[in-house]
Amino acid sequence: MSGMGDILENAAIDRWIRSFARSSAQVNDPHESDAELLSVPGLPAHLLAVTIDTVAEEIAAGLYRHPHTMGWVAAMASLSDLAAVGADALGVLISVSATDLSDESFACHAARGIEEACRECGVFVLGGDLNESPAVSLSGCAFGVVP
């Protein structure tokens, strides 16, 4: 059976995190969970859960072709990471990089997908970022609390 380092994404993550200092507030070890848990001063009965996911490779590979699906997956990928650690979701931040920010059809369908995922999980989009780029990608950063 292969070890965690044999998985390509984990090996790439390991190369990156060698350069980063680790916060004493972090609860998880690397590769332990898709959502990081942090102790928060003044909130001893709760942990802050944070996660981020980007839907880019899947779009480039043609797995998600409709903007509604892209938006729904971008939000739901992060929200499901919170659910996996038992967090009560508080909200999401969404970052959209698109080839044409003036494309109303893309914006409408992607936003509708994001909103439907959020509604399903009982949270709201609390902010985000828009960028024009040569390729489409959407990222969701979700955060919540674990009692």
Side-chain angles (χ1 to χ4, degrees):
M1 182 168 201
S2 296
M4 289 293 284
D6 293 334
I7 298 171
L8 292 177
E9 182 180 15
N10 289 338
I13 290 168
D14 288 340
R15 284 190 297 276
W16 277 87
I17 64 175
R18 281 192 299 249
S19 298
F20 302 137
R22 187 166 166 79
S23 168
S24 62
Q26 288 179 264
V27 173
N28 294 331
D29 287 326
H31 311 297
E32 193 167 45
S33 174
D34 279 348
E36 181 57 79
L37 300 175
L38 300 163
S39 56
V40 180
L43 292 175
H46 291 85
L47 296 171
L48 177 66
V50 294
T51 186
I52 187 167
D53 277 291
T54 298
V55 182
E57 293 170 298
E58 300 88 345
I59 294 169
L63 295 175
Y64 306 134
R65 292 188 176 113
H66 196 276
H68 180 275
T69 305
M70 295 173 192
W72 190 89
V73 171
M76 195 56 79
S78 288
L79 290 166
S80 69
D81 287 350
L82 291 184
V85 297
D88 297 320
L90 297 172
V92 296
L93 302 172
I94 298 291
S95 178
V96 177
S97 294
T99 55
D100 181 5
L101 292 179
S102 66
D103 182 344
E104 288 189 38
S105 177
F106 177 86
C108 178
H109 289 291
R112 193 169 294 136
I114 293 164
E115 177 61 18
E116 286 177 12
C118 288
R119 200 172 325 121
E120 214 171 294
C121 296
V123 299
F124 298 91
V125 174
L126 301 176
D129 189 36
L130 294 173
N131 296 286
E132 203 158 301
S133 71
V136 174
S137 71
L138 290 84
S139 298
C141 174
F143 46 97
V145 293
V146 179

